[in-house]
Amino acid sequence: MIRLALAAMFLLAAPAHTQERTRALGTSASPPASIEDLAWLAGSWTGTAMGASVSETYSAPLGGRITGHFVMADHKGGTAFTEIVDYVPIGRSIAYRVRHFNPDMTGWEDKTGKPVVFALLAVEKDRWFFDGMTIERNGPDALTMWVRIDRAGKAEDVPFRLSCAVRP
């Protein structure tokens, strides 16, 4: 997912993983899914990714979507970047959308004015495969988001390990 491409340039490198955790968009259609299928995401999640502290908060489904925000700390006591995210219906399926912001609130996607969109590719038990990002539910209050990040021309699946501290 593009979601952390800029942060990847200045944060610690994550170890390489031998098992592929994300998938890329192919020619098959997105599977049927509803926003309610991801209602378990509602709450405040904290954890680590790429050697930094992260926080992600999601609303309960409201108005046909789940909306949230993400924050990654830098290594100087500040914020590296933030995101506004949502899961939205696309036809009979869903997609993950994100817009990234620098600490001064300038947007990474300002030139296009459009969010980055990740279509749902597959659902397998407790794993939701989006194009370049996977949500792996590790328990009722634990998840790993695997994000495909390009580093020096090589794609890596980077883990974001989170636990839910607060539920609505």
Side-chain angles (χ1 to χ4, degrees), residues 117-130:
V117 179
F118 302 91
L120 181 66
L121 303 178
V123 179
E124 296 175 1
K125 196 175 175 193
D126 290 328
R127 293 167 51 187
W128 293 76
F129 293 92
F130 291 85

Side-chain angles (χ1 to χ4, degrees), residues 76-124:
K76 303 172 195 165
T79 300
F81 68 98
T82 60
E83 299 172 345
I84 301 296
V85 301
D86 63 3
Y87 294 87
V88 296
I90 303 287
R92 294 179 17 153
S93 193
I94 60 177
Y96 174 82
R97 300 187 311 178
V98 60
R99 294 231 19 199
H100 304 81
F101 298 91
N102 295 312
D104 67 0
M105 292 301 289
T106 54
W108 298 6
E109 294 84 18
D110 282 353
K111 291 182 182 178
T112 66
K114 297 182 182 203
V116 179
V117 179
F118 302 91
L120 181 66
L121 303 178
V123 179
E124 296 175 1

Side-chain angles (χ1 to χ4, degrees), residues 50-62:
M50 301 166 58
S53 294
V54 298
S55 172
E56 191 149 27
T57 301
Y58 291 110
S59 70
L62 179 66

